[in-house]
């Protein structure tokens, strides 16, 4: 019997597969598409997930840089500028990398770890009992059945896994907006070589990589380096969505949104090149993230507006949260109720993402009253405390899990430790996705206390905490500032999240 069957080989399914393998569990990934998709989708990563990928050793490959991630100097909230340089603790990290590349890197890592990925294998049915899930699969050589201890649906907003399990997907569907996006080339003389701004004839200069709102809609100009520039519009309108999308249609939309004419041509070089129209949108959260031995991650569990780029941050963090808990459950080492904390921790996070994406959508709507609301928000965003709060919200840095101890529940800081063999970043110690006890006590008092279930790293750091217990998802389960930490509290935290600790005899 297979440990875990994962439906869907997108970023979330592949990330989960990697996490499970690092934890000693063997998944099989089923993907209905025969090859990795070529359609351009997300253009990058925003939020805590950038640092999470660094802590799994994937950031350097994705970024092409050996340097650790750095916070972004600025961002947008509802198409309003968010000046992050004023923050002493800027939590918002970004990484401009197309989703195709993210999937490629995650697939290569999964295969390296020994994950079997079956492309061209579509989930068509499922049943479960107290011991297993049996899935029906339509493969290239015909239908077959596959039994697994658990099934995880990472198969998108139209998730067959969710539908076959009978989990409701309540929310709101809108059909009054049209988004158009395409890779294009524009006359070189319209692009400022220094700032990258686009001078739209009849309108003026539009800054790069911002949502530019007018009374008639949204316009985005994204001149990505080493790949074709991206142009998009969003407006309230009706459209015949059965007709093929064209550059002429996009140019007409730009004329309505900006009131100017932008010459567009197809991009040079090999594709695939994006030319897409999306009508309406969905905001929905699954009624449950788990039904018996079936669980949901990513878009299968929640869909929302793309405003703020929160989708992959939310979905990939779902996978990291679920991976170690599901692996411990499969191995039989999980404390009681551990797997249930996946939904209790991640569902509120999805609700907050829905909240702020809907708020941002409201801020970019047409109308004079929205213009005045934006004027008020512009004043509020000059306040440092407000900027900090929104940056924390967008990045996910405001997440606090109920870990049972007031000193825990937050994301582990980016420590640099002196372990006696030179400086080591915390990100270098979390690559194997195991729990970790950081012992910064004066004499390494905790180093010999615990067995192999919780590895211990001793050292020194310029940090007030003297001991810190990390879950595999890099959230703090317990910490202390006492030079002689309360080991009873530590024992309880280890038991709560990893099972009873194996104590070394005195």
């Amino acid at each position: 019997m297979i440990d875990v069957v994962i439906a869907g080989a997108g970023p979330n399914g592949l990330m989960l597969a990697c996490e499970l393998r690092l934890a000693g569990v063997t998944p099989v990934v089923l993907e209905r598409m025969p090859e990795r998709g070529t359609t351009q989708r997300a253009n990058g990563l925003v939020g805590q997930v950038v640092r999470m990928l660094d802590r799994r050793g994937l950031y350097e490959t994705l970024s092409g840089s050996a340097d650790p991630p750095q916070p972004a100097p600025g961002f947008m909230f509802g198409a309003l500028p968010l000046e992050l340089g004023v923050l002493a603790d800027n939590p918002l990290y970004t990484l401009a990398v197309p989703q195709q590349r993210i999937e490629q890197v995650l697939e290569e890592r999964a295969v390296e770890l020994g994950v079997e990925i079956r492309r061209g294998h579509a989930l068509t049915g499922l049943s479960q009992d107290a011991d297993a899930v049996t899935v029906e699969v339509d493969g290239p050589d015909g239908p077959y059945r596959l039994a697994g201890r658990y099934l995880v649906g990472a198969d998108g907003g139209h998730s067959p896994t969710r539908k076959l399990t009978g989990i409701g997907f309540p929310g709101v569907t809108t059909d009054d907006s049209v988004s158009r996006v395409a890779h294009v080339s524009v006359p070189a003389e319209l692009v400022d070589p220094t700032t990258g701004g686009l001078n739209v004839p009849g309108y003026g200069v539009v800054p790069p990589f911002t949502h530019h709102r007018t009374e008639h809609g949204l316009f985005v100009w994204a001149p990505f380096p080493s790949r074709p520039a991206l142009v998009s519009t969003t407006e309230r309108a009706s459209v015949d969505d059965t007709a093929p999308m064209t550059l002429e249609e996009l140019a007409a939309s730009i004329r309505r949104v900006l009131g100017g004419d932008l010459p567009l041509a197809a991009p040079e070089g090999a594709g695939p090149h994006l030319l897409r129209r999306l009508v309406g949108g969905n905001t929905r959260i699954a009624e449950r993230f788990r039904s018996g031995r079936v669980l949901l991650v990513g878009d299968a569990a929640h869909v929302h507006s793309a405003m703020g780029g929160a989708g992959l941050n939310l979905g990939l963090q779902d996978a990291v949260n679920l991976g170690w808990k599901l692996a411990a459950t499969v191995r039989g080492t999980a404390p009681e109720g551990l797997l249930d904390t996946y939904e209790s921790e991640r569902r509120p996070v999805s609700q907050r993402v829905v909240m702020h994406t809907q708020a941002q959508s409201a801020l970019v709507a047409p109308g004079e009253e929205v213009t005045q609301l934006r004027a008020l928000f512009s004043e509020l965003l000059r306040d440092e405390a407000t900027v900090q709060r929104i940056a924390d919200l967008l990045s996910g840095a405001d997440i606090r899990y109920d870990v049972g101890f007031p000193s825990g529940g937050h994301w582990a800081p980016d420590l640099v430790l002196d372990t006696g063999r030179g400086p080591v970043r915390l990100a270098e110690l979390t690559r194997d996705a195991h729990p970790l006890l950081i012992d910064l006590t004066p004499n390494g008092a905790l180093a010999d206390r615990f067995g192999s279930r919780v590895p211990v790293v001793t050292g020194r750091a310029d940090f007030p905490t003297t001991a810190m217990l990390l879950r595999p998802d890099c959230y703090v389960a317990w910490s202390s500032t006492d030079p002689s930490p309360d080991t009873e509290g530590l024992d309880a935290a280890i038991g709560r999240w990893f099972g009873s600790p194996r104590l070394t005899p005195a």
Side-chain angles (χ1 to χ4, degrees):
M1 182 183 296
I2 293 168
D3 287 337
V4 179
V5 178
I6 300 172
N12 301 320
L14 292 170
M15 188 72 186
L16 176 61
C18 292
E19 293 292 297
L20 290 170
R21 280 301 299 136
L22 287 169
V25 165
T26 303
V28 168
V29 180
L30 305 177
E31 170 54 51
R32 65 180 182 84
M33 300 298 293
E35 297 179 351
R36 196 166 53 240
T38 58
T39 302
Q40 180 67 30
R41 300 182 69 185
N43 291 298
L45 299 166
V46 178
Q48 295 287 87
V49 68
V50 176
R51 290 197 283 178
M52 189 68 243
L53 291 172
D54 181 39
R55 293 183 179 185
R56 291 296 188 260
L58 297 168
Y59 176 81
E60 181 174 345
T61 303
L62 286 167
S63 68
S65 171
D67 296 329
Q70 297 296 319
F75 201 64
M76 304 291 291
F77 181 80
L80 293 167
L82 199 61
E83 300 296 337
L84 302 172
V86 302
L87 301 180
D89 182 17
N90 179 0
L92 207 152
Y93 290 69
T94 62
L95 178 60
V97 57
Q99 182 167 327
Q100 289 171 286
R101 176 61 176 159
I102 296 170
E103 290 185 8
Q104 178 188 358
V105 169
L106 288 174
E107 181 173 336
E108 290 172 352
R109 177 59 171 154
V111 171
E112 176 188 334
L113 291 170
V115 175
E116 180 185 357
I117 301 171
R118 301 183 185 180
R119 293 195 173 274
H121 294 247
L123 175 71
T124 59
L126 68 88
S127 60
Q128 61 173 311
D129 56 29
D131 300 313
V133 180
T134 301
V135 298
E136 298 173 18
V137 185
D138 188 5
D141 299 323
Y144 65 94
R145 290 185 174 181
L146 189 65
R149 298 183 187 281
Y150 287 88
L151 167 67
V152 179
D155 42 1
H158 298 287
S159 170
T161 304
R162 186 188 64 242
K163 294 175 181 178
L164 289 167
T165 310
I167 297 175
F169 205 36
V172 177
T173 296
T174 59
D175 58 4
D176 61 347
S177 68
V178 182
S179 298
R180 299 173 176 89
V181 59
H183 285 121
V184 301
S185 64
V186 300
E189 63 270 18
L190 298 182
V191 182
D192 187 306
T194 303
T195 66
L198 178 66
N199 188 6
V200 179
Y203 179 79
V205 177
V206 176
F209 302 109
T210 63
H211 286 87
H212 190 76
R213 185 253 183 193
T214 74
E215 286 283 348
H216 307 288
L218 275 180
F219 176 78
V220 176
W221 160 245
F224 292 104
S226 305
R227 47 190 170 120
L230 202 68
V231 165
S232 73
T233 63
T234 303
E235 55 181 323
R236 296 285 175 88
S238 59
V239 66
D240 176 11
D241 61 356
T242 62
M245 169 71 176
T246 64
L247 285 181
E248 290 74 20
E249 179 183 332
L250 177 59
S253 178
I254 293 171
R255 189 179 308 116
R256 290 189 296 270
V257 171
L258 295 182
D261 288 296
L262 179 64
L264 299 178
E268 299 178 355
H273 294 142
L274 186 59
L275 183 62
R276 184 176 68 193
R277 177 201 307 119
L278 295 175
V279 178
N282 281 291
T283 299
R284 298 181 178 276
I285 301 177
E287 289 179 339
R288 293 166 287 155
F289 286 13
R290 178 188 179 189
S291 178
R293 291 181 173 270
V294 181
L295 299 108
L296 306 175
V297 298
D299 288 355
H302 38 66
V303 294
H304 51 81
S305 165
M307 290 289 290
L312 283 176
N313 188 32
L314 182 59
L316 290 171
Q317 293 279 48
D318 283 351
V320 174
N321 184 285
L322 175 60
W324 65 277
K325 297 173 180 177
L326 183 54
T329 303
V330 169
R331 296 196 316 267
T333 61
E336 183 178 356
L338 179 66
L339 192 55
D340 290 331
T341 67
Y342 166 62
E343 178 171 345
S344 66
E345 290 185 345
R346 295 305 296 172
R347 200 170 196 282
V349 178
S350 67
Q351 291 170 330
R352 286 187 65 75
V353 169
V354 163
M355 176 267 287
H356 77 68
T357 54
Q358 286 187 317
Q360 291 184 76
S361 296
L363 280 169
V364 300
E368 175 61 23
E369 69 279 13
V370 177
T371 300
Q372 297 306 319
L373 178 63
R374 290 173 61 81
L376 172 60
F377 261 77
S378 294
E379 292 184 14
L380 296 174
L381 291 178
R382 290 195 287 268
D383 177 70
E384 182 178 336
T386 303
V387 173
Q388 183 74 65
R389 183 162 189 153
I390 291 181
D392 289 344
L393 174 66
L394 293 177
S395 67
D398 62 346
I399 296 172
R400 295 292 185 273
Y401 295 141
D402 181 8
V403 296
F405 302 91
S407 60
H410 56 283
W411 175 261
D414 288 329
L415 293 177
V416 177
L417 287 77
D418 179 0
T419 61
R421 297 181 299 275
V424 178
R425 293 194 304 126
L426 179 61
E428 299 174 71
L429 301 172
T430 57
R431 303 273 164 95
D432 60 6
H434 291 166
L436 188 65
L437 176 59
I438 306 293
D439 182 2
L440 304 177
T441 58
N443 299 312
L446 304 175
D448 297 325
R449 180 171 176 79
F450 298 99
S452 60
R453 184 172 296 181
V454 180
V456 181
V457 174
T458 61
R460 293 178 295 148
D462 183 16
F463 195 66
T465 296
T466 56
M468 186 166 53
L469 177 66
L470 303 188
R471 307 190 321 184
D473 58 1
C474 292
Y475 279 82
V476 178
W478 168 94
S479 67
S480 176
T481 57
D482 194 323
S484 299
D486 171 23
T487 54
E488 288 187 8
L490 178 56
D491 289 350
I494 291 176
R496 168 71 180 87
W497 294 105
F498 314 121
S500 298
R502 298 206 305 250
L503 302 182
T504 302

